[in-house]
Amino acid sequence: MFDDFSALGLNPEFQAYRTGYAPNVIGTLVGKTHPELVYIVIGHLDDMPSSGGAPGADDNASGPAVVTAAARAMAPFAFANTVKFIACTGEEQGLYGSTAYADDAQDRGEQIQAVLNADMIGWQGDGSPSAENLDLNYNTSSQWLGLLFADCASAYATGCPVDAFSCASLTASDHYPFWQNGWSAVCGITDNE
């Protein structure tokens, strides 16, 4: 991902945080008007294979695929605010990479406005519901972001219905360290009901 971000002019950097874990990879598209205001697209690179030919394809190769696709789509354009694209590691072992980033951001006083976390968004589905949807989990302070995301998916006719709902008990993915630091974040998971 470092090379992908570099090719897009996103000045990538590694964030080492713990011995024995690969570093997070961060690409940054600096905002033109308010570079201090930061929006984040994040997905974890690691998986915990258990069975099958490609057990990590959904959980979570699909997440960094979205991070990379968002970076490719956005890199040619200028935005008022900064956008960071983060491929983090250590999620399966305890949210280590995202916690390291969120805690460091808090220490630096980073002004994070919103976080979009993609975790298991590539599941083929079981046909129920039909059409498959994207469950978008938010907590109380992130409701605005979840509803905005769902409205945009509908308005732009993405073809993927978004079911945004409050699920503050979902603490096992990379949005959670951002919630713990008081920032708005949502977690997209395909059809996890």
Side-chain angles (χ1 to χ4, degrees):
M1 293 202 67
F2 188 96
D3 290 344
D4 292 330
F5 291 164
S6 184
L8 294 169
L10 299 177
N11 301 313
E13 59 186 294
F14 289 119
Q15 180 193 23
Y17 60 88
R18 183 181 277 209
T19 302
Y21 288 86
N24 294 332
V25 183
I26 304 161
T28 304
L29 181 57
V30 178
K32 299 298 182 191
T33 308
H34 298 287
E36 73 280 4
L37 302 180
V38 177
Y39 292 80
I40 293 173
V41 182
I42 192 170
H44 71 90
L45 289 165
D46 59 310
D47 75 330
M48 293 285 285
S50 57
S51 65
D58 181 30
D59 186 11
N60 188 39
S62 61
V66 164
V67 173
T68 303
R72 285 185 183 139
M74 297 175 76
F77 301 98
F79 294 91
N81 306 308
T82 294
V83 181
K84 291 194 174 187
F85 306 94
I86 303 174
C88 62
T89 61
E91 190 267 359
E92 299 290 358
Q93 295 76 29
L95 310 180
Y96 296 148
S98 55
T99 298
Y101 185 86
D103 289 350
D104 180 60
Q106 181 76 5
D107 291 345
R108 289 183 287 105
E110 189 165 278
Q111 297 179 47
I112 296 174
Q113 305 300 297
V115 178
L116 303 177
N117 174 34
D119 192 347
M120 296 187 295
I121 59 154
W123 185 50
Q124 158 182 326
D126 58 6
S128 177
S130 181
E132 291 291 340
N133 64 9
L134 176 71
D135 286 348
L136 195 71
N137 304 271
Y138 57 79
N139 65 0
T140 302
S141 65
S142 306
Q143 180 178 6
W144 71 271
L145 182 59
L147 298 179
L148 176 62
F149 189 104
D151 287 347
C152 289
S154 177
Y156 289 96
T158 63
C160 180
V162 174
D163 184 13
F165 55 88
S166 179
C167 187
S169 63
L170 180 62
T171 60
S173 191
D174 291 310
H175 62 288
Y176 185 60
F178 296 93
W179 282 359
Q180 289 182 302
N181 282 287
W183 293 307
S184 294
V186 294
C187 178
I189 299 179
T190 3
D191 185 26
N192 74 336
E193 57 271 339

